Amino acid sequence: MAACSTPPPSSTAPGKTAPSLGEARSAEAEATPQRSRQVLLRERSRWVAADWSELPGWGEDRASELWPALLQGCARPAPGWAEVCAQARVETPQSDAEASLWLMQHLRPYRVESLEGEGQGLLTGYFEPQLEARRRPQGAFQVPVHAAPADLQQRRPYFTRQQIESEPQLRARLRKHELAFLDDPLDLLVLQIQGSGRLRISGPDGAEQWVRMAFAGHNDQPYQSVGKALIERGELRPGEASWPQIRDWLRRNPLRASEVLWSNPRYVFFREEPLGDPNKGPRGAQGVPLTPGRSVAVDRASIPYGTPLWLDSLDPMSLLPLRRLTMAQDTGSAITGAVRADYFWGWGREAEAQAGRMKNPLRLWALWPATEAGKTLY
């Protein structure tokens, strides 16, 4: 339920010059003492009305870069977004300052908190693996990527990772469901954890084909972290279990690879899709393509899909402030809680390195249509 709203900011009157970003923030700061703090409640979060001046680093981001992701989200807008999305389609900002001002004129910021008032959470990262593959077993390419078997939904839970990869009868049953073959079992695990990936499949004649493997279901077994398993076994120290370090340990201990990978019983199945536009990411839970550096996964019970978010965190490589506009366009089984997000880095090894090292404190502000202030979010 929502409290009474304050009036939305008015748009620029005909014939008048739009204020600069600095003027807009100064005017808002002067009005702050008279503004009541409206609170909007959701199932797992509460949103507290804020001023733009409270957003750390606001106005310093490349705000115009949000527009492709914003328009993608507007293909499936959240309730109450029809008017804002219609304007966003015809009022493309020509600069970062124009984009920031446009958002300030049409949206209102809300600090995202837990229902208990906790405003700090966690930001992790994810990516789309980009891997070499073959259609048939060949040389080192012996690790199958499976399509969902017909009895997947009939058996709950389904067979574990260890059973699928080690029992001859089960392997034989799944043979007709093999979509492609990878050369590294860790790459399969990474593909399964990320939920999608790009495969460059080379045929016997040397021809290459790019395809996308999209999530098609899992075995309904619990997910267990391989990094945590290595820490518990004393093989890695806490804080060392990034993907590059896990990959290095497995390369140095090939005879123990299966033992470690089988500590995670969850197994994900895929469906093959054409890659289409290589500059677009996979479809997120909102049903629109993800944009590198601008799309995040969230807990839908805390933040609706299609919500622009201002996040305040740290860059995983430099530990410098990471403050930027993003769109809530995806979710994940591990993404739960009010102030929780998973940042989409893109595809390939560089994105893997960034995502694998990202586990940083997070503060979030949701940007919601000013005309919808005071209405329930449910």
Side-chain angles (χ1 to χ4, degrees):
M1 298 295 291
C4 296
S5 67
T6 55
S10 59
S11 57
T12 305
K16 292 188 177 181
T17 304
S20 69
L21 185 58
E23 290 171 339
R25 294 187 63 169
S26 296
E28 181 193 50
E30 292 176 1
T32 299
Q34 289 77 36
R35 180 174 290 174
S36 60
R37 294 284 180 171
Q38 177 195 25
V39 176
L40 307 181
L41 296 181
R42 288 193 56 79
E43 183 180 345
R44 290 183 184 162
S45 68
R46 68 175 197 169
W47 294 8
V48 181
D51 293 325
W52 293 101
S53 58
E54 297 173 31
L55 278 57
W58 177 257
E60 299 172 8
D61 184 30
R62 299 296 303 271
S64 61
E65 293 180 359
L66 180 73
W67 241 249
L70 176 64
L71 296 180
Q72 291 281 11
C74 281
R76 295 193 174 187
W81 273 82
E83 181 179 344
V84 172
C85 282
Q87 292 175 319
R89 293 187 187 100
V90 299
E91 299 177 5
T92 303
Q94 300 303 307
S95 68
D96 296 325
E98 282 189 19
S100 296
L101 281 170
W102 192 96
L103 294 170
M104 294 176 72
Q105 290 167 354
H106 293 86
L107 306 177
R108 182 176 179 183
Y110 292 83
R111 186 176 67 252
V112 180
E113 300 178 347
S114 71
L115 294 174
E116 295 73 34
E118 176 57 54
Q120 182 163 296
L122 175 66
L123 181 66
T124 52
Y126 69 121
F127 69 104
E128 186 176 32
Q130 188 165 280
L131 305 168
E132 297 288 336
R134 301 288 186 271
R135 280 295 182 195
R136 300 288 180 265
Q138 177 184 340
F141 292 84
Q142 301 290 328
V143 182
V145 179
H146 286 113
D151 62 343
L152 179 63
Q153 301 302 323
Q154 299 166 13
R155 292 174 173 268
R156 287 189 176 274
Y158 200 69
F159 301 101
T160 66
R161 177 181 299 275
Q162 181 174 354
Q163 291 172 315
I164 291 171
E165 295 182 348
S166 66
E167 295 185 7
Q169 290 184 335
L170 187 52
R171 292 181 65 180
R173 281 175 52 190
L174 291 174
R175 194 156 292 143
K176 62 182 178 180
H177 297 284
E178 294 165 344
L179 297 172
F181 291 83
L182 307 177
D183 64 351
D184 187 338
L186 181 60
D187 282 341
L188 175 63
L189 177 64
V190 171
L191 179 67
Q192 292 176 329
I193 291 174
Q194 302 305 314
S196 72
R198 302 171 177 216
L199 302 189
R200 183 167 65 180
I201 301 178
S202 300
D205 59 353
E208 294 182 345
Q209 177 190 19
W210 280 99
V211 301
R212 172 171 278 135
M213 292 295 164
F215 177 86
H218 62 68
N219 60 351
D220 205 32
Q221 296 281 354
Y223 170 77
Q224 300 293 336
S225 167
V226 168
K228 183 178 180 181
L230 286 170
I231 292 172
E232 291 174 347
R233 288 169 166 80
E235 302 295 342
L236 293 177
R237 291 179 294 182
E240 288 186 343
S242 67
W243 280 120
Q245 289 162 317
I246 293 171
R247 192 179 295 277
D248 178 66
W249 187 92
L250 290 172
R251 284 174 177 161
R252 289 185 287 104
N253 299 272
L255 298 180
R256 298 182 61 190
S258 292
E259 165 204 338
V260 172
L261 296 177
W262 288 345
S263 67
N264 174 29
R266 175 164 292 185
Y267 195 91
V268 173
F269 300 93
F270 296 91
R271 65 176 180 274
E272 183 176 321
E273 298 178 348
L275 181 60
D277 186 346
N279 295 314
K280 290 184 178 180
R283 291 186 180 274
Q286 190 187 6
V288 303
L290 302 178
T291 302
R294 296 296 171 179
S295 295
V296 294
V298 297
D299 184 342
R300 195 179 182 186
S302 173
I303 298 168
Y305 297 147
T307 302
L309 299 170
W310 180 257
L311 61 83
D312 176 28
S313 186
L314 299 172
D315 182 274
M317 306 299 277
S318 67
L319 295 183
L320 293 174
L322 178 67
R323 294 164 175 166
R324 64 172 51 194
L325 286 158
T326 58
M327 293 291 297
Q329 296 179 323
D330 202 5
T331 193
S333 59
I335 312 304
T336 58
V339 189
R340 180 72 174 93
D342 210 18
Y343 185 92
F344 180 64
W345 281 98
W347 42 86
R349 292 299 186 191
E350 184 177 347
E352 177 182 0
Q354 295 275 15
R357 288 179 169 85
M358 180 170 249
K359 192 173 183 181
N360 295 323
L362 171 68
R363 291 190 296 167
L364 277 178
W365 285 261
L367 312 185
W368 200 250
T371 55
E372 293 296 302
K375 297 182 181 179
T376 178
L377 292 179
Y378 293 95

